[in-house]
Amino acid sequence: TKRADFFPPLTKKEQPAMPVYMVTGILALLYPPFLSIKVGTPWLWVGLPLFLIGMVLLVLSIVDFAKAPADELIQNGIYRYSRNPMYLAYGFIYTSIGILTASWLYLLIAFVRQYTEYIMILSEERWCLEQFGEIFQAYMDTTRRYWGRKA
């Protein structure tokens, strides 16, 4: 859990994103119970596959994250294909909830959340470069931020 709740130091430019990240995270969790899934509409057929992809990615990334030693860079399992599979999973899940409920407000919350997650990712990458140096640089050179191996 120590690694799971760690946030790297933010630059002055990144600091305003943190409260927005926290508030949108709370809204993303608390708002869906007040929404309803639009059954019998195309929204279901678009949102449901995205939700399932997100959940599979989330479970795989959590398992790999939990198995790895706390002081080592994770490059195994799903992390071979994405440097940020949890953030990718959250993106799929948040977007799918907005689509499944046809809620433009929730989609806006999801978009703002994902933008602030991107800022958090940049700070994490900077921290990882400081902590792991050439190992992380080699990882960045071979594995994309969100998905895919580089040639």
Side-chain angles (χ1 to χ4, degrees):
T1 59
K2 182 179 179 182
R3 180 175 54 196
D5 65 357
F6 171 76
F7 286 101
L10 300 172
T11 64
K12 197 169 198 128
K13 186 177 178 182
E14 295 164 340
Q15 288 173 354
M18 180 56 88
V20 177
Y21 174 76
M22 300 303 274
V23 168
T24 55
I26 292 167
L27 290 173
L29 292 173
L30 296 180
Y31 187 41
F34 298 100
L35 301 170
S36 60
I37 294 175
K38 304 302 181 199
V39 179
T41 69
W43 299 116
L44 181 68
W45 301 109
V46 174
L48 189 58
L50 291 177
F51 183 80
L52 295 174
I53 290 168
M55 291 305 293
V56 168
L57 283 172
L58 185 59
V59 168
L60 292 173
S61 61
I62 289 172
V63 167
D64 291 337
F65 187 85
K67 288 193 298 188
D71 58 343
E72 291 182 18
L73 180 65
I74 307 170
Q75 299 180 66
N76 299 323
I78 197 78
Y79 289 84
R80 286 179 296 180
Y81 306 102
S82 172
R83 296 195 314 259
N84 299 283
M86 269 192 238
Y87 289 131
L88 180 63
Y90 295 143
F92 275 107
I93 292 166
Y94 297 147
T95 302
S96 70
I97 291 171
I99 292 170
L100 283 166
T101 61
S103 171
W104 293 107
L105 178 57
Y106 193 88
L107 283 170
L108 177 63
I109 292 167
F111 175 77
V112 173
R113 173 72 177 184
Q114 288 166 297
Y115 179 73
T116 57
E117 281 178 352
Y118 171 73
I119 294 170
M120 297 300 113
I121 288 169
L122 296 179
S123 68
E124 288 176 6
E125 288 179 345
R126 186 179 55 256
W127 182 85
C128 285
L129 277 169
E130 292 170 6
Q131 296 298 309
F132 301 108
E134 291 179 13
I135 295 169
F136 189 72
Q137 184 61 57
Y139 181 50
M140 289 176 70
D141 292 343
T142 59
T143 307
R144 295 186 191 283
R145 181 174 286 138
Y146 295 107
W147 191 260
R149 303 285 292 174
K150 296 180 181 177

